[in-house]
Structure formats: structure tokens, C-alpha cells
Amino acid sequence: MTSLPFRRVVVTGIGWVTPLGDTVDGVWEALVAGRSGIRHVDVDGTKGFPCRIAGALPDFRPDGRLPAKEARRMARVSQIALVAGQKAIEDARLPLPLAEPERAGVIMGTAIGGLDRADEGIQVLRSRGLDRVNPFFLPSALPNMPAFHITQQLG
């Protein structure tokens, strides 16, 4: 068995957009105190489901961080990821554009992402027909779109 080459990774900035808060100090304080961001939710789309607990972000708005036109074209998961990426760049005090973007990376974990946009597109297709479906609905529903938006916007 051969060993893999050892590479160093440096986390230069942290960007939080979580049910516990959206600042490094606030989220860290909540974690250390043992608080949970999971709670009872009563948001659109949860009516009729037996489980109504989640780590939701009902107050999240990308206003001031993303142009409205761009935000409308993105799934909510991408909006949240991009704002978190912007906060990480700010926390790291990295200048944009990055001097050596090929030495930077994005690690984004997701299970599915963009499901809201996929559902929206299917609903429009069924109720109003194919010619009324937004052409951005399918790409915005792809699981890799949050990482794509971060790399595209932040270089």
C-alpha cells in the first residue's frame, strides 16, 4: 500500500449562515453553551407533515449581499452558500480578486440542494405548461450549484 502525499490545508476564514446565527463569535458562543439550532418550525411547505422540527433559517434574506436579479435565479441553498462564502472571504480579509485563485478551493457538503427550485419548476410545468417553465429551474436544482456559485462569484 502506498502512502498519499501529505498536503497542508489552511482555513483562512469562516462564514456562518446557520440556525444558531450568522457571525463567527455568535455561533461559537452558542456551540460552547450547548444550544441547538433545531426547533419547531411553522413555515410554508411544512403543513401536513408529521415532523415539524428543523434547523431552519426563516429570517434569511440575501438583500444587500446579492443583486436581486441574481438571487432570483438561484435556489435558496445557493443564496445561503454564497453569503456564507462572502463572509468567509471577509473573515479571512482576502482581497478580491484572489492573487492565486488556483490555490484556493471550496468545500461544500450537500445532500441534494435546490429541491425548492425543482419543485417550483415541476409545479409550473403541470399547471401552466412547458413554455412557462423558467429555463434556470433545472440548473439551479443541481446539488453542485452552491459550490459553483461560490467559485463563480468569488473567483
Side-chain angles (χ1 to χ4, degrees):
M1 184 169 172
T2 61
S3 63
L4 297 174
F6 180 75
R7 294 200 165 172
R8 294 178 187 259
V9 174
V10 177
V11 176
T12 57
I14 299 173
W16 296 101
V17 180
T18 78
L20 289 175
D22 63 357
T23 65
V24 174
D25 291 341
V27 172
W28 183 250
E29 184 180 303
L31 290 171
V32 170
R35 287 197 298 273
S36 173
I38 307 302
R39 58 186 151 266
H40 180 269
V41 294
D42 191 18
V43 295
D44 291 340
T46 62
K47 309 280 191 279
F49 283 95
C51 179
R52 303 273 296 273
I53 58 171
L57 301 171
D59 299 326
F60 173 79
R61 303 284 179 276
D63 306 340
R65 289 269 183 185
L66 302 176
K69 185 176 180 179
E70 283 184 45
R72 281 193 308 272
R73 291 181 174 176
M74 290 181 196
R76 190 164 189 265
V77 66
S78 288
Q79 295 172 4
I80 293 166
L82 184 52
V83 169
Q86 291 171 343
K87 288 175 176 255
I89 291 285
E90 290 165 9
D91 184 57
R93 296 181 182 93
L94 292 174
L96 291 178
L98 297 173
E100 296 180 80
E102 66 280 358
R103 296 194 58 175
V106 173
I107 298 173
M108 171 77 199
T110 184
I112 192 162
L115 196 56
D116 57 327
R117 293 317 271 298
D119 181 55
E120 179 184 307
I122 291 167
Q123 296 297 329
V124 170
L125 174 65
R126 288 183 176 155
S127 65
R128 298 171 57 200
L130 182 61
D131 60 331
R132 302 302 302 168
V133 174
N134 183 330
F136 295 105
F137 109 84
L138 188 56
S140 67
L142 297 172
N144 64 324
M145 290 309 286
F148 165 77
H149 285 296
I150 293 169
T151 56
Q152 180 192 42
Q153 294 284 327
L154 302 178

